[in-house]
Amino acid sequence: MKASSSARRKKSFSSSQATRISAKKSSTTSAKAWAGRFTEPTNALVERFTTSLPIDRQLFEYDIQGSMAHCQTLEKAKVLSKAECQQLIRGLTRVRSELREGRFPFTDSDEDIHMVVERRLTELIGPLGGKLHTGRSRNDQVTLDLRLYLREQLQVLHGKIHAVQAAFVQQASQHINTFIPGYTHLQRAQPVSLAHHFLAYVEMLERDKARIADALRRVNVMPLGSGALAGSNYPTDRTFTAKLLNFPALSQNSLDAVSDRDYVVEVLNVLSLIMMHLSRLSEELIVWSSQEFSFVELPDGFCTGSSMMPQKKNPDVPELIRGKTGRVYGHLVTLLTTLKGLPLSYNRDLQEDKEPLFDALQTVLDSLSLYAGLIQRMTVRKERVAEAVGSGFLLATELADYLVQEGVPFREAHSIVGRLVQTCIKQKQELGDVSLDDLRTISPRFTKKALNFLTVEGAVDRKAQIGGTARKQVARQLKTWEQRLKKRPSM
Ligand code: ARG
């Protein structure tokens, strides 16, 4: 037992010498910060498989921002002298410039953005760089970076939703008096103001904004000081760090803080719902821009043509947004699945959080930017819409409600008008074509007044309670939205 453990020690000593030699030999790799405990260099495929640098390098601004606050916290705790802190911060500023200007010397063995920044810092300022990571782990560092990043991205997202809402409100202001067939089951149902239809999307998007603001409350929590999992041995003032980084709250349990990715799931959930809304909008625009409907004309700059059929103008942008919705849902499920089997606290699986998050965010931000432009520039084909609203028995419910006004129970009124519609269909007539005599053949309860109920304007304006499509109501809603959206978008 004794002999074998001393043999192991001997073997390990000579192998670690081998590591040092091989690390020196390679010009593109540098020794890992954690190489001390290892007896051979990392396998090349392992390096490629475990690196997160291609993904997390976009976090560099936040990584450096967090590191600067960490230095100041270490200084306050008297772990660093004032001069050391200043030197570290100056070094970090230089590293940041190199990264910003695209002249940062990456090497093949760089593992992630956190290690890369520290390596370069040490190259630039010498062994003092090695003090940066005192009392910190990449486990609390990475979640800090992600929270700083998300905080900013959620603001951007909020602003982009605001822009789409503004485009819809602008369109709505042009179309209070444009009446379209409202649909249920994609069958003509009742006429509505087109402005009312546009404002429905503004409502949906407002809920998305509310969900962003809610998610932000849980993103906006400062995890640094949790160390690898248990906290840190240094008397760092975490409240001070939080203040420096403008966090309103501190994580209260180090184990939870390094393993928590709920906030990423929440953001992916918000993103999925936004895409679901945009996908439903896409479906509508695809249908509405078809020759069969022809309710809207999409701007040429947002459509593409066919390589074979010269006449084609395709709604590719709405189609792709509808298509990419699956991709964003996929990212949500990816992360939920990654998390479901993880014991406390940090596990490397967590590294898989960033790729789906970044891709989902980019997809949603692009989709929103595209829709802000497309909606603003889309034109409504008023003649086509007027034609559509004039046929298809959209006013049948009005007639039934007229009969109710005359004292007929609704169920009976429904049946009378149902028979009328059936007769019209047989005689190839629309409701607008029927005379009082025709009505009275179906039921003696009809009087001359019934004909007044057969106008689209009347049908729309009778829905006059809060939330209804009456023009007065829609104008009121529109005004409210114009007021609300006038304010600069902020959470
Ligand atoms: N790159 C990792 C991530 O994105 C952070 C590194 C944590 N590594 C570790 N060995 N604890 O989550």
Side-chain angles (χ1 to χ4, degrees):
M1 191 57 187
K2 238 184 179 168
S4 79
S5 84
S6 89
R8 226 182 297 146
R9 263 203 304 277
K10 227 175 176 177
K11 183 167 173 264
S12 117
F13 177 65
S14 57
S15 316
S16 79
Q17 277 179 319
T19 312
R20 280 203 293 275
I21 292 160
S22 84
K24 246 189 225 153
K25 255 200 260 165
S26 159
S27 58
T28 54
T29 60
S30 55
K32 303 253 181 329
W34 40 255
R37 186 236 175 275
F38 286 78
T39 55
E40 61 177 25
T42 316
N43 172 291
L45 180 56
V46 170
E47 262 181 2
R48 182 161 71 72
F49 192 74
T50 57
T51 181
S52 55
L53 190 59
I55 306 294
D56 63 23
R57 56 193 283 177
Q58 56 177 302
L59 291 177
F60 78 85
E61 289 280 354
Y62 313 97
D63 197 72
I64 290 175
Q65 187 188 358
S67 288
M68 287 177 170
H70 183 59
C71 288
Q72 289 170 269
T73 309
L74 290 177
E75 186 207 327
K76 185 162 187 266
K78 304 210 180 330
V79 177
L80 292 177
S81 70
K82 191 166 181 201
E84 285 176 324
C85 174
Q86 282 173 350
Q87 218 182 321
L88 281 166
I89 288 180
R90 267 200 303 274
L92 285 167
T93 310
R94 284 176 65 192
V95 176
R96 186 171 61 194
S97 304
E98 289 186 349
L99 283 159
R100 279 184 184 168
E101 291 155 24
R103 52 185 176 85
F104 185 94
F106 288 103
T107 70
D108 290 352
S109 60
D110 284 334
E111 193 176 324
D112 57 29
I113 189 63
H114 326 294
M115 300 300 261
V116 149
V117 168
E118 189 184 320
R119 166 180 68 75
R120 186 64 184 148
L121 177 69
T122 308
E123 283 166 12
L124 290 172
I125 69 168
L128 175 62
K131 290 197 176 185
L132 173 67
H133 211 52
T134 316
R136 185 177 70 170
S137 156
R138 276 181 293 164
N139 301 352
D140 54 354
Q141 185 179 0
V142 67
T143 186
L144 171 70
D145 292 4
L146 210 48
R147 286 169 183 276
L148 287 168
Y149 160 85
L150 269 180
R151 213 161 66 162
E152 243 175 65
Q153 292 296 311
L154 290 182
Q155 263 324 327
V156 176
L157 187 64
H158 196 270
K160 293 221 184 263
I161 295 181
H162 186 102
V164 179
Q165 286 182 306
F168 270 122
V169 165
Q170 166 61 27
Q171 283 284 1
S173 71
Q174 306 300 306
H175 292 293
I176 293 187
N177 293 307
T178 307
F179 305 118
I180 61 161
Y183 295 83
T184 61
H185 315 268
L186 205 56
Q187 303 288 325
R188 286 185 193 172
Q190 291 185 302
V192 294
S193 158
L194 178 54
H196 196 52
H197 193 103
F198 287 149
L199 291 180
Y201 283 101
V202 179
E203 294 282 344
M204 285 181 219
L205 293 167
E206 189 65 17
R207 289 195 294 276
D208 293 329
K209 274 165 45 182
R211 270 184 284 271
I212 292 171
D214 182 53
L216 178 64
R217 291 194 299 136
R218 281 169 301 278
V219 167
N220 223 352
V221 175
M222 208 291 294
L224 210 63
S226 302
L229 74 162
S232 127
N233 288 335
Y234 301 88
T236 50
D237 179 353
R238 299 188 63 222
T239 313
F240 175 72
T241 324
K243 230 192 224 141
L244 287 177
L245 293 169
N246 201 19
F247 278 102
L250 275 183
S251 59
Q252 299 292 312
N253 181 304
S254 59
L255 289 167
D256 178 47
V258 296
S259 73
D260 172 25
R261 292 296 183 275
D262 295 2
Y263 63 98
V264 184
V265 173
E266 286 188 55
V267 170
L268 283 169
N269 176 55
V270 172
L271 294 174
S272 295
L273 283 170
I274 295 171
M275 279 313 269
M276 183 269 284
H277 290 153
L278 297 186
S279 186
R280 293 179 74 167
L281 168 64
S282 299
E283 172 65 17
E284 212 150 68
L285 292 178
I286 292 161
V287 171
W288 280 17
S289 63
S290 69
Q291 250 164 51
E292 283 65 20
F293 269 76
S294 292
F295 282 7
V296 292
E297 182 77 36
L298 303 182
D300 276 9
F302 287 78
C303 295
T304 60
S306 154
S307 59
M308 185 177 132
M309 299 166 284
Q311 85 283 12
K312 290 296 293 286
K313 171 175 160 185
N314 296 327
D316 300 49
V317 167
E319 286 175 310
L320 274 170
I321 290 175
R322 187 177 60 183
K324 285 174 192 282
T325 301
R327 167 179 179 149
V328 175
Y329 291 178
H331 291 325
L332 170 63
V333 174
T334 296
L335 186 61
L336 283 169
T337 311
T338 299
L339 294 174
K340 77 181 265 292
L342 297 187
L344 287 175
S345 57
Y346 181 85
N347 300 272
R348 191 64 178 266
D349 315 44
L350 291 174
Q351 179 167 293
E352 288 293 303
D353 59 355
K354 282 171 279 299
E355 200 169 357
L357 175 66
F358 294 171
D359 185 75
L361 251 171
Q362 197 54 56
T363 304
V364 175
L365 291 175
D366 286 348
S367 303
L368 288 165
S369 299
L370 285 162
Y371 266 144
L374 186 147
I375 297 298
Q376 195 193 10
R377 301 198 36 228
M378 152 184 105
T379 51
V380 175
R381 301 191 53 182
K382 284 192 175 178
E383 63 323 322
R384 272 293 306 153
V385 171
E387 211 176 290
V389 84
S391 66
F393 305 101
L394 288 153
L395 303 177
T397 314
E398 304 310 306
L399 269 189
D401 283 335
Y402 153 76
L403 287 172
V404 168
Q405 209 171 292
E406 295 294 305
V408 181
F410 178 74
R411 206 33 75 209
E412 194 186 327
H414 186 287
S415 158
I416 292 170
V417 180
R419 285 204 305 278
L420 171 66
V421 170
Q422 200 188 67
T423 312
C424 286
I425 292 171
K426 266 192 214 137
Q427 297 174 352
K428 298 199 166 34
Q429 278 187 317
E430 285 291 340
L431 278 186
D433 304 328
V434 299
S435 65
L436 181 60
D437 284 348
D438 295 334
L439 291 178
R440 291 183 66 87
T441 329
I442 302 287
S443 164
R445 305 299 294 264
F446 283 115
T447 68
K448 207 169 148 221
K449 267 195 284 172
L451 297 175
N452 299 338
F453 278 70
L454 289 175
T455 70
V456 171
E457 290 84 349
V460 167
D461 286 339
R462 270 191 291 278
K463 319 286 184 296
Q465 61 292 81
I466 294 173
T469 191
R471 283 175 286 181
K472 250 196 186 148
Q473 273 301 336
V474 175
R476 192 187 59 83
Q477 291 163 21
L478 182 65
K479 213 162 143 204
T480 312
W481 280 117
E482 280 169 346
Q483 294 296 337
R484 284 172 81 170
L485 296 178
K486 231 190 257 157
K487 289 192 220 118
R488 255 174 59 93
S490 83
M491 274 186 275

